[in-house]
Amino acid sequence: QVQITESGGGLAEAGGSLRLSCTTSGPPFGFYPMGWFRQAPGKGREVISCFTESVSGTSTFYADSVKGRFTISTDNAKNTLYLQMDSLQPDDSGIYYCAAGLSVTSSSCAASGDIYWGQGSQVTVSS
């Protein structure tokens, strides 16, 4: 079983930057495909960015709304997944959740089956 601890987030002005971190414990880091989801007030949880690594290579997925602005990355030595968020917009506000156990390709990312979720990190972008 994977334990997930998130950190980062907070308050930023439009055009600013924030970074989210997601540290895991349990199975070896990278065993499960991982990613970030966002839930805005009154809305459902939407996928933002996902990453998976295998012997055949890596796959990275970005939602159209964040392409070119957000960057997902990993530090295997620290068992940590990051989401660097640049050029933030008020619509980026919400609670961001780290997840493990996803189904990831370069063109899709889905949360189905047994998913492990972080506790959520609040991101608020002011205009």
Side-chain angles (χ1 to χ4, degrees):
Q1 189 169 355
V2 180
Q3 286 77 46
I4 296 176
T5 302
E6 297 182 34
S7 60
L11 178 65
E13 294 183 349
S17 298
L18 289 171
R19 189 176 78 162
L20 301 176
S21 300
C22 169
T23 302
T24 68
S25 61
F29 185 75
F31 181 81
Y32 292 105
M34 298 185 65
W36 295 94
F37 287 68
R38 176 174 72 201
Q39 187 164 18
K43 296 185 178 180
R45 198 171 293 189
E46 61 174 334
V47 62
I48 297 299
S49 182
C50 303
F51 175 88
T52 188
E53 185 172 18
S54 68
V55 293
S56 60
T58 61
S59 292
T60 304
F61 170 84
Y62 292 99
D64 288 343
S65 60
V66 304
K67 281 182 181 177
R69 300 189 298 120
F70 289 12
T71 305
I72 194 169
S73 64
T74 63
D75 185 334
N76 291 357
K78 295 182 178 180
N79 293 346
T80 300
L81 179 77
Y82 300 101
L83 185 68
Q84 177 66 40
M85 304 182 290
D86 299 318
S87 301
L88 283 163
Q89 303 167 0
D91 285 348
D92 294 320
S93 298
I95 300 175
Y96 283 70
Y97 295 92
C98 179
L102 305 171
S103 297
V104 180
T105 70
S106 59
S107 59
S108 67
C109 178
S112 58
D114 294 329
I115 306 299
Y116 301 95
W117 296 96
Q119 79 275 18
S121 299
Q122 180 70 49
V123 171
T124 302
V125 184
S126 62
S127 57

